[in-house]
Amino acid sequence: MKRNLKSYITITLKGLGMGAADVVPGVSGGTIAFITGIYEELVTTIANVDISLIKTWRQNGFAAMWKQFNGGFIIALLTGIFISIFTLMRLTNYLLDTYPIVVWSFFFGLVGASVWYVGKQIEKWNPKLIGVTILGFIVAFGITELTPTQGIDHPLYFLMCGAIAVCAMILPGISGAFILVLLGGYKSITTAVSEFNLQVIGLVGLGAIIGLLSFSRILKWLFTNFKSITLAILTGFIAGSLNKIWPWKEVLDSEIIKGKVVILKEVSISPTQFDGDPKLLYACIAAILGFLLILLLEKIAEKQPLSNAEHKDI
């Protein structure tokens, strides 16, 4: 089944959602990809990038290579992601600075609904899958509680930062920006981007490419051979990451980076312990809206089913 213009516009809109999520520290674009029904296709497309594409180009021409690469899907998705990043980043930062509790509540409801959505993809639960889900929860929760390390100025370190951060970006749950903070590389990498330090940018980019191509193959293999277990792990992982976006926090340590306060260590507290107006009513409304948005996205995805067999014909 070939995609039409309407289908590509829909993919671009899903890319907008992924981009909006990626600019929020603590929210992963991979989560949005999953709930909009394009996650497995995205992982498979990335995993299929190898030397065979060049061979196909030489033997059968660019059109055949483009079809094998699923280029239309990637271009439509990246278009949405980049439009969102460059247009919504300033608005998102403004809203987070001005209405932090309400915005974090919205994302809490959104990600909370994602736990339900991913979990219901498993046809039959059993004790083994429940155990795997709990393990995923513990790992993700533990990551959100880690104390950031001190970064080092070494080429291999920047390669590692790029590889690990990009893996987090396509893995539903923890955001790549948060991983960079944990690794201690957020300040040096953002400074390198602002100062056009091509050496650091190149090393991080190379690490991202290596990590993306490697990790996508692992995910593709897991979905092919252990789909239920993989879904169970992701369910727990997303649930554990909710600790990161809990609306009411007490900041224990922070640092000013490029004129912006970056939180290094914080702890979740109850609304009654919050120092200030907890805005509980508005927070509940925002969380419900976030939850309902996932239901809406699910309905949209259901109206445009596309099986793995059909992917091959695109």
Side-chain angles (χ1 to χ4, degrees):
M1 185 182 76
K2 293 183 180 297
R3 283 191 166 112
N4 54 28
L5 179 60
K6 182 180 178 180
S7 298
Y8 285 118
I9 291 175
T10 301
I11 294 171
T12 300
L13 292 175
K14 293 176 180 180
L16 286 171
M18 289 182 64
D22 280 329
V23 301
V24 179
V27 182
S28 170
T31 302
I32 303 300
F34 203 104
I35 60 182
T36 54
I38 61 172
Y39 188 75
E40 286 191 58
E41 182 177 2
L42 175 61
V43 170
T44 299
T45 299
I46 297 172
N48 287 341
V49 176
D50 54 29
I51 196 68
S52 67
L53 290 173
I54 298 178
K55 294 180 180 179
T56 301
W57 190 356
R58 289 178 176 177
Q59 295 174 3
N60 303 311
F62 180 82
M65 183 276 291
W66 188 254
K67 181 179 180 181
Q68 179 182 334
F69 175 55
N70 201 8
F73 168 80
I74 288 295
I75 292 300
L77 189 65
L78 289 178
T79 298
I81 291 174
F82 284 119
I83 289 175
S84 184
I85 289 175
F86 287 110
T87 58
L88 295 181
M89 181 177 290
R90 186 171 297 179
L91 174 61
T92 302
N93 289 335
Y94 168 77
L95 291 175
L96 283 171
D97 291 337
T98 310
Y99 310 102
I101 292 178
V102 176
V103 175
W104 284 122
S105 296
F106 174 79
F107 282 111
F108 190 88
L110 187 150
V111 177
S114 303
V115 177
W116 163 79
Y117 176 80
V118 177
K120 79 169 193 168
Q121 306 302 312
I122 300 176
E123 297 180 359
K124 186 176 181 180
W125 284 87
N126 56 48
K128 178 181 178 181
L129 293 177
I130 294 175
V132 170
T133 302
I134 294 174
L135 177 61
F137 176 90
I138 293 173
V139 171
F141 188 89
I143 290 175
T144 65
E145 290 292 301
L146 290 176
T147 301
T149 60
Q150 293 295 323
I152 56 176
D153 187 11
H154 192 278
L156 291 178
Y157 169 75
F158 290 119
L159 279 171
M160 181 192 70
C161 283
I164 297 177
V166 79
C167 290
M169 290 181 69
I170 65 172
L171 185 67
I174 306 297
S175 72
F178 177 62
I179 293 298
L180 287 179
V181 172
L182 289 181
L183 293 174
Y186 186 87
K187 180 177 181 179
S188 57
I189 292 173
T190 53
T191 300
V193 172
S194 64
E195 296 178 354
F196 295 99
N197 186 330
L198 297 181
Q199 181 180 2
V200 173
I201 295 174
L203 287 168
V204 174
L206 179 60
I209 293 173
I210 294 172
L212 189 62
L213 295 179
S214 303
F215 191 58
S216 62
R217 282 169 168 76
I218 296 174
L219 283 176
K220 178 184 176 182
W221 181 80
L222 288 173
F223 271 109
T224 301
N225 298 282
F226 306 99
K227 186 169 183 176
S228 293
I229 293 178
T230 304
L231 289 171
I233 293 175
L234 292 179
T235 300
F237 204 82
I238 298 174
S241 72
L242 284 170
N243 180 53
K244 175 60 183 173
I245 55 177
W246 177 251
W248 298 278
K249 298 281 190 180
E250 180 182 351
V251 177
L252 302 178
D253 189 19
S254 63
E255 182 179 356
I256 298 178
I257 299 177
K258 296 171 59 179
K260 181 179 178 180
V261 177
V262 175
I263 297 174
L264 301 178
K265 184 67 175 177
E266 59 187 357
V267 61
S268 298
I269 58 176
S270 72
T272 57
Q273 295 176 310
F274 185 73
D275 184 15
D277 184 4
K279 301 185 184 300
L280 195 57
L281 176 61
Y282 294 110
C284 291
I285 294 174
I288 292 172
L289 289 176
F291 195 97
L292 292 177
L293 177 59
I294 297 304
L295 298 182
L296 176 62
L297 291 174
E298 180 191 6
K299 294 299 181 183
I300 294 175
E302 286 178 351
K303 290 180 180 179
Q304 296 183 339
L306 192 64
S307 67
N308 290 333
E310 290 170 333
H311 291 163
K312 299 176 182 179
D313 297 328
I314 296 172

